[in-house]
Amino acid sequence: MYAIVKTGGKQYKVAVGDVVEVEKLDGELGSEVSFPALLVVDGSEVTTDADALAKVSVTGKLVEQTKGPKIRIHKFKNKTGYHKRQGHRQKLTRVEVTGITK
């Protein structure tokens, strides 16, 4: 059984026991979080109906707060001497999926 959940403007395919990195979620380490399910697949049974998905609960446990890889941004304009360097590291949260209940 697996589900497609949405968080941080992105969609993730998760199953029980998976550890996924999502955009930063507020909360203490070890606390429970819940995600809205967009689709649930249980063997050959696929659930996409909004009324049935309202009853589905995907829960997880916050494992770790981390940062993603450093992205280097360099802007340059020819013949004007313009250079601008900037870096960014996205804050991420590791979440272990603990249950998908129908």
Side-chain angles (χ1 to χ4, degrees):
M1 174 192 271
Y2 69 89
I4 306 293
V5 298
K6 182 177 181 179
T7 179
K10 298 180 180 78
Q11 296 177 4
Y12 301 91
K13 177 183 172 183
V14 297
V16 175
D18 286 353
V19 177
V20 292
E21 281 189 344
V22 299
E23 290 196 15
K24 186 173 190 264
L25 298 172
D26 292 331
E28 303 257 341
L29 296 182
S31 63
E32 290 285 322
V33 291
S34 175
F35 300 108
L38 303 177
L39 177 128
V40 176
V41 177
D42 187 10
S44 63
E45 181 185 335
V46 178
T47 306
T48 58
D49 184 41
D51 294 334
L53 289 174
K55 300 172 188 170
V56 173
S57 167
V58 179
T59 57
K61 180 176 73 171
L62 295 181
V63 176
E64 182 182 15
Q65 303 282 3
T66 63
K67 287 185 178 180
K70 183 148 197 166
I71 298 172
R72 300 183 197 285
I73 300 135
H74 183 227
K75 295 181 180 179
F76 171 78
K77 292 196 178 181
N78 198 15
K79 300 179 186 175
T80 61
Y82 174 78
H83 291 270
K84 182 176 182 182
R85 291 184 188 92
Q86 185 178 355
H88 175 75
R89 287 188 76 183
Q90 183 68 37
K91 293 182 180 179
L92 302 171
T93 301
R94 282 203 177 112
V95 177
E96 180 182 359
V97 179
T98 56
I100 301 172
T101 58
K102 285 187 160 185

